[in-house]
Amino acid sequence: MTTDVLDLEGRSVLVTGAGQGVGRQVALDAAAHGARVAVNDFHLSRARATADEIVALGGNARAYACDVTDFDAVRSMVESAASDLGSIDVLVNNAGNAGPSIESLDAPLPFWETAPEQWEPWIRTNFYGVLHASRAVLPDMVKSEHGRIISVISDAGRVGEPHLAVYGGAKAGVAGFSRGLAKAVGRFNITVNCVSLSAIMTPAVADALSNPEFAQRALRAYPIRRFGQPADPSRLILFLASAAGEWITGQTYPVNGGYAISS
Ligand SMILES: NC(=O)c1ccc[n+]([C@@H]2O[C@H](COP(=O)([O-])OP(=O)(O)OC[C@H]3O[C@@H](n4cnc5c(N)ncnc54)[C@H](O)[C@@H]3O)[C@@H](O)[C@H]2O)c1
């Protein structure tokens, strides 16, 4: 009998956007707790780097390049992962931010000066990406009457950020989608939850957070006076993925150093 409360032995875990940042850490940690890990990223080189790291540490992982905004590509990735590693038991919807291209992180304009095409990468990656991957893994989860879907959202979607209104809208949409889906699939022992983050030190935000003046100002909003590290959310994601989380569904859990505290 294992004493590991986060045990994932025998489980297949798909992590989207796992080539760096939070997703990479979740993939590493899931493998360390015994999971077979499907490492997805838009960039094959990044997915491979994470999968190679896991294998070098003695774990089981395979890399899959695909864009989560492309449903057909997601569906065929899920089919390949199921045949390579076993059908997906745990989906971590982590790919997000402005999508795979840093170019789409335009200097923030007020919403009323933006054009609809500028909203697309945010909505497609953060909202449709979650729908696509969830839709692709669910038939097997329903069949096996077991599953976990955990989506990484943002406090921009819970409390609002003035320059991230569209992103926040997409993330809040994921929380709403997850609540409805949790009710639809609970009878199959499938749980659906969100983990909501504030500033985590990842390549996406490293530049901004390494500016000392900006960092000092930003940290005033954090009762725990440091920015998050990928391991902070990863531990909660693993808890929700493991048997320990089996009676938790339809919820959003902030991991944010106290950035936004509410009842
Ligand atoms: N870092 C933060 O401060 C922060 C704060 C709040 C929420 N989040 C959320 O946490 C998650 C992880 O963020 P991060 O900072 O680790 O990200 P990151 O940008 O550092 O890494 C994300 C990875 O996802 C991949 N990706 C992006 N779009 C993709 C797509 N369409 N298909 C497949 N792969 C894609 C990228 O190639 C990249 O390797 C995201 O959902 C983000 O919105 C992050």
Side-chain angles (χ1 to χ4, degrees):
M1 204 179 96
T2 179
T3 54
D4 177 8
V5 74
L6 304 180
D7 182 42
L8 289 171
E9 199 66 48
R11 299 293 189 202
S12 295
V13 177
L14 166 62
V15 187
T16 67
Q20 65 180 31
V22 173
R24 169 185 163 273
Q25 189 65 47
V26 173
L28 283 162
D29 290 348
H33 288 272
R36 302 181 293 269
V37 185
V39 179
N40 159 262
D41 204 281
F42 178 88
H43 302 284
L44 180 60
S45 57
R46 289 187 194 171
R48 279 208 179 121
T50 301
D52 288 350
E53 212 177 333
I54 290 171
V55 171
L57 291 165
N60 190 343
R62 292 282 283 263
Y64 302 90
C66 112
D67 182 344
V68 298
T69 69
D70 176 345
F71 180 55
D72 290 338
V74 171
R75 196 146 53 171
S76 68
M77 168 182 70
V78 166
E79 278 168 15
S80 303
S83 97
D84 296 340
L85 303 171
S87 66
I88 302 301
D89 300 290
V90 177
L91 166 65
V92 181
N93 285 311
N94 166 80
N97 291 325
S101 156
I102 201 75
E103 272 81 61
S104 49
L105 266 171
D106 289 330
L109 289 170
F111 174 72
W112 58 93
E113 290 177 18
T114 58
E117 53 273 21
Q118 290 170 286
W119 312 335
E120 284 287 312
W122 301 95
I123 294 170
R124 294 202 63 76
T125 305
N126 293 286
F127 188 67
Y128 275 100
V130 171
L131 266 51
H132 291 158
S134 304
R135 172 66 182 83
V137 300
L138 270 166
D140 276 351
M141 289 184 177
V142 167
K143 220 178 287 165
S144 65
E145 301 205 354
H146 175 273
R148 300 276 195 273
I149 297 178
I150 302 141
S151 299
V152 179
I153 66 159
S154 167
D155 279 354
R158 289 196 320 122
V159 297
E161 291 295 337
H163 295 299
L164 293 171
V166 174
Y167 169 69
K171 292 296 201 187
V174 171
F177 165 70
S178 301
R179 288 189 283 270
L181 188 62
K183 290 187 176 177
V185 298
R187 69 199 160 102
F188 303 109
N189 289 313
I190 300 166
T191 67
V192 187
N193 291 289
C194 296
V195 172
S196 180
L197 313 184
S198 285
I200 309 279
M201 283 288 196
T202 67
V205 294
D207 269 359
L209 299 186
S210 62
N211 172 333
E213 261 169 58
F214 175 83
Q216 209 180 6
R217 247 184 302 123
L219 271 179
R220 285 192 206 124
Y222 290 77
I224 306 290
R225 291 218 191 254
R226 66 168 174 82
F227 295 118
Q229 293 295 332
D232 292 310
S234 178
R235 289 186 279 250
L236 179 58
I237 290 167
L238 253 61
F239 184 89
L240 293 169
S242 70
E246 71 186 4
W247 207 54
I248 301 173
T249 197
Q251 307 302 317
T252 292
Y253 292 101
V255 177
N256 62 10
Y259 175 75
I261 298 179
S262 64
S263 61

